Amino acid sequence: MKRLAAILLLAATPALAEEPKPFDEFLTPDAVEAVRAIALDNIHLADCGAGPQTCTPATDAERADPPVTLELTESAMRTGIVSGLMEWCGLNWTLRSFQPMLVHHREASTLSKRQMVMLALIHGIQQGQMREVLKGSECDAETRTALHADMPGQELDPGIE
């Protein structure tokens, strides 16, 4: 776990490390394409409106040319990895990982609502994979502190945040 604690945040920032990172097995080109396809196959289950209005099912055109790039897919998957680790460590992954990803894409790009929903689905799929991988193990204090270190201005308390 010490190696994980030292480099786990690099999983969310691919440009910072040249050596293989933990959880890279989730980010192979085939895995990225597969997760994007799963999200597209399930988009009709997601909320695309102001209320409980589900998205329309994926079209053949979207299957041929998906609404999000592989780069955006991988980025959302990396955030999902971090969110899964934060959830495992009892940190508030929604406020500290998921919402910042959404805010970043809202402010830094011109993604449509449907594209944003795709990113949220991709994130959730990857977070769920992490939940399964980590099931039955416990987050150690060093890993929890390493995850928290990227959140300036927020105190780390010993309880669940």
Side-chain angles (χ1 to χ4, degrees):
M1 275 304 183
K2 287 184 180 185
R3 177 160 164 68
L4 172 63
I7 62 175
L8 87 98
L9 290 179
L10 294 178
T13 315
L16 293 179
E18 296 191 15
E19 67 179 75
K21 294 169 289 305
F23 312 111
D24 267 355
E25 67 270 16
F26 293 116
L27 301 169
T28 65
D30 288 344
V32 173
E33 284 189 53
V35 168
R36 181 174 69 176
I38 292 167
L40 194 54
D41 287 344
N42 289 284
I43 197 164
H44 67 283
L45 302 173
D47 181 1
C48 273
Q53 179 182 354
T54 58
C55 299
T56 58
T59 65
D60 290 338
E62 283 180 315
R63 291 181 198 290
D65 185 20
V68 296
T69 65
L70 291 173
E71 293 79 18
L72 279 174
T73 301
E74 182 177 334
S75 176
M77 288 173 70
R78 287 182 184 281
T79 304
I81 288 169
V82 172
S83 291
L85 290 164
M86 292 181 94
E87 179 182 15
W88 177 59
C89 288
L91 297 169
N92 190 332
W93 61 269
T94 302
L95 292 175
R96 296 179 177 201
S97 180
F98 180 63
Q99 287 180 355
M101 176 191 77
L102 295 178
V103 168
H104 166 77
H105 287 297
R106 272 191 214 112
E107 293 176 354
S109 64
T110 57
L111 296 181
S112 69
K113 173 73 173 176
R114 192 167 179 88
Q115 289 171 309
M116 293 294 289
V117 167
M118 281 283 297
L119 292 180
L121 286 170
I122 290 163
H123 171 277
I125 291 165
Q126 192 62 56
Q127 183 178 6
Q129 280 190 323
M130 291 307 302
R131 190 179 300 117
E132 284 301 308
V133 166
L134 298 168
K135 186 172 33 179
S137 63
E138 288 187 32
C139 176
D140 58 76
E142 193 173 1
T143 301
R144 189 170 194 269
T145 300
L147 281 166
H148 183 76
D150 199 35
M151 309 299 158
Q154 295 185 28
E155 295 301 317
L156 179 62
D157 74 34
I160 293 191
E161 297 178 19

